[in-house]
Amino acid sequence: MPKIDLYRNVHMGQRARLFTLATELGAADISSSGCAADQADRCLAMTRELREHADHEDTFIHQLLRERAPQAADALEAEHVRLDAAFVALDERARELPSAPAEDLPEAQHALYLALNDLISAYLAHLHAEETVAMPALWSHAGAEELEAVMSAFRASRTPEEALTDLRRMLPALPPAPRAAIVRDVVENAVPGRADDTLAAVSSTLGPDQRHRLYEDLAPVRDVVPTEPLPQSAG
């Protein structure tokens, strides 16, 4: 049975969306109507999400880490100082962008792009520390039952809407096998008669090829597999 990894899947989703945000911000036509406000809002939404994610880790994971592997916990705390500064710098640049004069917009856009990439640099180092220092420490000093209890407590804390958002953010970044395993569990535990609706909801951020592969992987456990592609969602 695979080890319980508290970080892997969610971090893969975060990396994918951070890279996409940086690429799209850099290439955006900032002079078009509403573009500056849209790009600023996307950056502010990302910092809100990453701060919330850090709070979740502190609540559900890092307390156990501090108890069992305090040196590993100290290593993560050192990362937070640089991360907090990068969050603040990105937020400041994002709030400034929509009010920049038209002639200054290209430089303001690039300044925001640089601030976002500085955050990404700091955040990647933080993820690496969690994945290569914190998680191995937990595997060494906590049992599988304790790690499963952490996952269960987090899931219980999420509303159905929040849990759906979590899945939509994460699933496009995962390989087919773990993606199918996660969705299979969700569909099998759906409200009776709502399995197809649940599948449609959780798969709405997948690309057409990803969705087709998912339906193929789920076919052995489902009576009906949709044959028409579902509409994409920005969720």
Side-chain angles (χ1 to χ4, degrees), residues 50-111:
L50 297 183
R51 286 185 174 107
E52 289 171 1
H53 173 72
D55 289 342
H56 297 155
E57 289 182 335
D58 282 342
T59 300
F60 297 101
I61 302 176
H62 296 164
Q63 180 177 345
L64 178 62
L65 186 67
R66 291 184 188 103
E67 292 173 358
R68 302 301 175 81
Q71 289 184 329
D74 289 343
L76 294 188
E77 290 299 329
E79 294 284 339
H80 286 168
V81 176
R82 185 182 175 197
L83 269 182
D84 288 344
F87 285 145
V88 170
L90 181 59
D91 285 348
E92 289 176 351
R93 290 291 188 183
R95 293 188 181 103
E96 291 169 357
L97 182 67
S99 60
E103 64 272 17
D104 295 335
L105 269 176
E107 289 306 313
Q109 175 186 11
H110 192 64

Side-chain angles (χ1 to χ4, degrees), residues 14-45:
Q14 288 177 343
R15 285 185 176 98
R17 288 180 301 104
L18 282 166
F19 298 155
T20 297
L21 178 57
T23 300
E24 294 180 354
L25 171 61
D29 179 6
I30 204 67
S31 63
S32 64
S33 177
C35 182
D38 178 60
Q39 294 299 324
D41 287 344
R42 292 180 69 193
C43 289
L44 291 168

Side-chain angles (χ1 to χ4, degrees), residues 160 164 183 186-202 222 224:
L164 178 59
V183 175
V186 171
V187 169
E188 289 178 347
N189 288 282
V191 174
R194 298 296 303 274
D196 283 347
D197 291 341
T198 299
L199 176 59
V202 300
R222 302 190 64 246
V224 178

